[in-house]
Amino acid sequence: MELFLDILVAVLLILGCLMSLIAGIGLLTFPDMLTRMHAATKPQVLGFLLIFAGLAIHLRNWNIVPVLILAWAMQLLTAPVSAHMIGRSGYRTKHAAKDTLFSDELRQVVDKVSSGSATGAIPVVDSEDHEQDGK
């Protein structure tokens, strides 16, 4: 049983480290800000979960489990929120490659706020009309 737990810990730690490595490689290789942001958050949260699970099994102490769960929960809460805020600020400061977006739902909101009409419903803009206005 001891050998099985040691192998399980090794597999969990290696998989968690690989997920973190994949996140780092994605940050270096992806072409634009939005895909880099996605690469930084998605595999990182799963990588931390695998590392913390391996650590909990390795320590075999129930006193450390709540601390590991709290640390993972904080990572789970902060990584997506920070990525969302970075994405919105990058979009507004023209760092996002908007021509590669499949669906640009934020454009309507940004156009509405920048035009000064802060009350009322968000206008629905046809994408073809919007592209002609930008040219």
Side-chain angles (χ1 to χ4, degrees):
M1 185 68 173
E2 195 76 23
L3 179 63
F4 173 74
L5 289 177
D6 287 341
I7 292 172
L8 180 64
V9 167
V11 168
L12 288 173
L13 290 176
I14 289 171
L15 287 175
C17 291
L18 282 175
M19 293 300 288
S20 296
L21 178 67
I22 289 169
I25 291 171
L27 280 173
L28 294 175
T29 59
F30 283 149
D32 63 337
M33 183 206 58
L34 295 175
T35 54
R36 286 182 186 153
M37 176 187 64
H38 180 77
T41 56
K42 302 302 180 198
Q44 190 68 18
V45 173
L46 179 61
F48 272 127
L49 175 65
L50 294 173
I51 289 172
F52 289 159
L55 187 60
I57 294 170
H58 176 69
L59 294 176
R60 295 183 183 96
N61 185 357
W62 285 104
N63 295 333
I64 198 72
V65 171
V67 175
L68 294 175
I69 291 173
L70 180 65
W72 183 69
M74 290 297 116
Q75 178 68 25
L76 185 66
L77 289 174
T78 57
V81 172
S82 63
H84 176 76
M85 296 309 293
I86 290 170
R88 285 181 67 96
S89 65
Y91 183 92
R92 290 180 180 201
T93 58
K94 313 284 190 267
H95 285 91
K98 296 176 187 171
D99 55 334
T100 62
L101 294 177
F102 178 74
S103 175
D104 193 359
E105 297 169 353
L106 188 57
R107 184 174 190 159
Q108 296 172 2
V109 176
V110 171
D111 289 346
K112 180 183 176 190
V113 170
S114 63
S115 69
S117 60
T119 59
I122 298 172
V124 177
V125 179
D126 189 18
S127 62
E128 294 175 3
D129 294 339
H130 218 63
E131 289 175 4
Q132 291 174 355
D133 292 341
K135 290 183 179 178

